[in-house]
Amino acid sequence: MPAYDKADLERRMNGAIEALKGDLSGLRTGRASTSLLDPVTVEVYGAHMPLNQVATVSVPEPRMLSVQVWDKTNVGPVEKAIRSAGLGLNPINDGQTLRLPIPDLTEERRKELAKLAGQYSEKAKIAVRNVRRDGMDALKTDEKKNVISEDDRKRLETEVQKLTDATIADIDAVSAAKEKEILNK
């Protein structure tokens, strides 16, 4: 059985793009969005849990997030997790609800967020390159096992490289759109 699997490589490269979109959706652009708190994990019950598993996040007004904590004993850990998430948000404790006013983005904060978007995109590119390397290694393995010829290997390596280039172009496009959204807001 050949070690090279084009469908698997495509799936993994698309996974890198989806992960990047998820990371970028967490970067705020000045409007309140529940996805803003997606990267926040809370330490409760002796484990790290995503915020959405211990509280309900809603957007009562355009520049405000509301976090309704289900268990009153978790309000402190949730508040701490949001403060330390590096999102620049200061929760206002309202009993079992935390209100998060979304501050205006300063020019400096916009640049920081754009830089962070760039870091996310670089992380996705590294993931894609790792997938490419795995694909190339699989092709060499197949050639050594005489599953494919040298000509087939070279042809398939070109195919893998084209797939990689296309995926990286997609990553650049997604990242550029988000940076533009952050800087022009």
Side-chain angles (χ1 to χ4, degrees):
M1 184 170 149
Y4 173 72
D5 181 356
K6 182 181 177 190
D8 183 54
L9 294 180
E10 286 175 344
R11 182 187 56 74
R12 289 171 58 200
M13 286 186 183
N14 287 335
I17 292 177
E18 291 310 309
L20 172 66
K21 287 178 180 172
D23 287 344
L24 292 178
S25 73
L27 292 182
R28 62 193 191 82
T29 54
R31 285 195 320 270
S33 160
T34 56
S35 64
L36 194 59
L37 297 176
D38 285 352
V40 177
T41 57
V42 186
E43 194 172 336
V44 287
Y45 313 121
H48 286 279
M49 299 174 82
L51 179 65
N52 61 12
Q53 289 183 8
V54 293
T56 305
V57 181
S58 60
V59 185
E61 37 190 285
R63 303 190 67 74
M64 176 81 66
L65 283 174
S66 171
V67 179
Q68 177 76 40
V69 184
W70 301 328
D71 183 348
K72 204 172 183 79
T73 58
N74 292 338
V75 173
V78 167
E79 187 175 353
K80 182 180 171 209
I82 292 171
R83 282 188 201 280
S84 61
L87 298 170
L89 299 174
N90 274 327
I92 299 165
N93 193 330
D94 233 358
Q96 221 168 318
T97 305
L98 296 173
R99 289 181 300 124
L100 303 164
I102 307 292
D104 279 330
L105 287 178
T106 63
E107 194 57 38
E108 185 180 321
R109 183 69 181 143
R110 284 177 210 271
K111 286 181 178 147
E112 277 176 35
L113 289 172
K115 194 170 160 186
L116 193 55
Q119 289 172 356
Y120 287 156
S121 114
E122 192 51 44
K123 193 171 78 176
K125 287 179 187 177
I126 290 169
V128 168
R129 289 187 197 112
N130 288 340
V131 173
R132 177 189 64 191
R133 187 194 60 227
D134 291 348
M136 297 297 195
D137 290 349
L139 287 171
K140 287 179 183 133
T141 303
D142 286 349
E143 185 188 2
K144 278 184 192 143
K145 290 181 182 172
N146 294 323
V147 177
I148 59 173
S149 67
E150 184 181 349
D151 289 345
D152 284 340
R153 177 184 58 85
K154 288 184 177 172
R155 181 181 53 76
L156 290 169
E157 280 180 350
T158 306
E159 205 175 89
V160 170
Q161 187 58 49
K162 281 183 183 162
L163 179 62
T164 304
D165 294 341
T167 308
I168 286 186
D170 289 347
I171 288 172
D172 286 338
V174 168
S175 179
K178 185 66 177 187
E179 284 182 30
K180 186 174 181 225
E181 183 186 339
I182 290 169
L183 295 172
N184 289 350
K185 197 69 187 132

